């Protein structure tokens, strides 16, 4: 309603027919599309000036079918979204990641697709009101907004996590590197070197996942 009141034209997508039926009953002004965003955004390049998503992206981390690959579905979503957005536009995706691994997976695929931007957190010290917003930019990286409930210099550091083309590293709740990540592998190799064991030299390919073979 707010987008329509501001004079903008919009298109809504949802995987749930029941949710789309609610929109039809409310006689919304925008167009509606039944679609799974894990299959991609089916629009021509540069058609949109912005994108808003509410509590949807984290579901792409789940494999509801045997054919589902969360990294591939996330990359398909972000790469086609990047294409559909005009240069200089932005996307704000509100999500509820279950853990740091999901957060790393989502941000990594967004960066891989070409986005810049970062994570903004509202009320980071609250268990109920805490919300994550992935703010993405097409082209030059813009300024991230301030999260709610983060007054003071100390709060500003916790409510934003900016990323560029460099891969962002995340650690688990105990402060250790995520298992099987590049950091985890490098730390393990360094421990073995200190133990006097023979270890292969580190290269840019260390920790890189191999493509599946068919």
């Amino acid at each position: 309603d707010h987008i329509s009141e501001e004079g903008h034209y919009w298109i809504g997508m949802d995987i749930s027919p029941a949710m789309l039926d609610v929109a039809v009953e409310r006689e919304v002004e925008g167009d509606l599309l039944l679609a799974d965003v894990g299959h991609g955004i089916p629009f021509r390049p540069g058609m949109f000036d912005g994108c808003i998503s509410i509590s949807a992206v984290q579901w792409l981390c789940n494999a509801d079918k045997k054919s589902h690959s969360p990294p591939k579905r996330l990359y398909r979503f972000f790469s086609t979204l990047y294409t559909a957005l005009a240069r200089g536009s932005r996307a704000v995706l509100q999500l509820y990641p279950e853990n740091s691994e999901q957060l790393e997976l989502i941000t990594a695929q967004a960066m891989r697709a070409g986005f810049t931007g970062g994570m903004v957190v509202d009320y980071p010290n609250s268990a109920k009101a805490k919300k994550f917003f992935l703010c993405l930019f097409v082209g030059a990286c813009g300024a991230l907004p301030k999260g709610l409930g983060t007054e003071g210099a100390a709060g500003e550091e916790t409510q934003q996590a900016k990323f560029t083309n460099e891969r962002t590293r995340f650690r688990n709740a105990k402060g250790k590197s995520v298992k099987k990540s590049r950091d985890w592998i490098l730390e393990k190799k360094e421990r073995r070197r200190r133990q006097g064991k023979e270890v292969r030299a580190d290269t840019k390919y260390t920790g890189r996942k191999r493509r599946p073979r068919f």
Side-chain angles (χ1 to χ4, degrees):
D1 290 340
H2 179 73
I3 295 174
S4 297
E5 290 171 2
E6 291 295 317
H8 300 293
Y9 185 79
W10 57 268
I11 297 177
M13 298 174 62
D14 205 294
I15 196 173
S16 168
M19 291 297 289
L20 295 175
D21 288 341
V22 172
V24 171
E25 291 174 3
R26 293 181 179 179
E27 299 181 351
V28 295
E29 296 184 11
D31 287 334
L32 304 173
L33 177 66
L34 178 65
D36 178 359
V37 294
H39 294 162
I41 307 297
F43 295 102
R44 292 179 180 177
M47 283 195 66
F48 297 95
D49 297 317
C51 171
I52 299 172
S53 173
I54 301 174
S55 187
V57 178
Q58 73 270 5
W59 299 111
L60 294 178
C61 295
N62 299 340
D64 298 323
K65 299 179 181 178
K66 289 184 178 180
S67 59
H68 283 180
S69 169
K72 290 182 179 179
R73 284 168 59 78
L74 281 164
Y75 178 70
R76 178 67 178 170
F77 165 65
F78 283 119
S79 61
T80 53
L81 175 63
Y82 186 89
T83 301
L85 291 172
R87 188 163 183 82
S89 59
R90 62 188 64 187
V92 179
L93 316 175
Q94 186 265 323
L95 63 152
Y96 293 104
E98 289 185 0
N99 47 48
S100 61
E101 285 83 359
Q102 278 196 2
L103 202 59
E104 179 182 17
L105 177 62
I106 292 170
T107 54
Q109 297 306 317
M111 285 185 284
R112 183 184 168 205
F115 284 107
T116 57
M119 190 72 67
V120 175
V121 184
D122 280 355
Y123 304 104
N125 299 320
S126 172
K128 293 183 178 180
K130 187 176 182 179
K131 287 185 179 180
F132 292 83
F133 295 88
L134 183 59
C135 301
L136 304 175
F137 305 95
V138 179
C141 184
L144 292 176
K146 281 188 175 183
L148 300 177
T150 55
E151 293 78 9
E156 290 179 3
E157 296 180 0
T158 60
Q159 61 90 27
Q160 291 186 355
K162 189 175 182 180
F163 63 79
T164 58
N165 290 329
E166 297 180 0
R167 184 175 176 82
T168 304
R169 303 295 180 189
F170 290 89
R171 294 179 177 271
N172 59 23
K174 295 182 180 179
K176 297 181 180 179
S177 298
V178 178
K179 192 172 183 180
K180 299 299 178 68
S181 66
R182 176 179 169 83
D183 291 339
W184 182 85
I185 293 172
L186 292 175
E187 290 169 6
K188 185 175 180 180
K189 291 174 72 175
E190 186 61 32
R191 285 197 303 271
R192 288 181 175 272
R193 289 193 186 99
R194 289 198 296 266
Q195 293 169 0
K197 297 181 180 179
E198 187 176 345
V199 181
R200 289 185 179 181
D202 300 335
T203 69
K204 65 179 181 179
Y205 300 106
T206 302
R208 182 175 292 188
K209 290 185 179 179
R210 296 178 181 270
R211 292 183 178 181
R213 292 186 178 182
F214 299 96

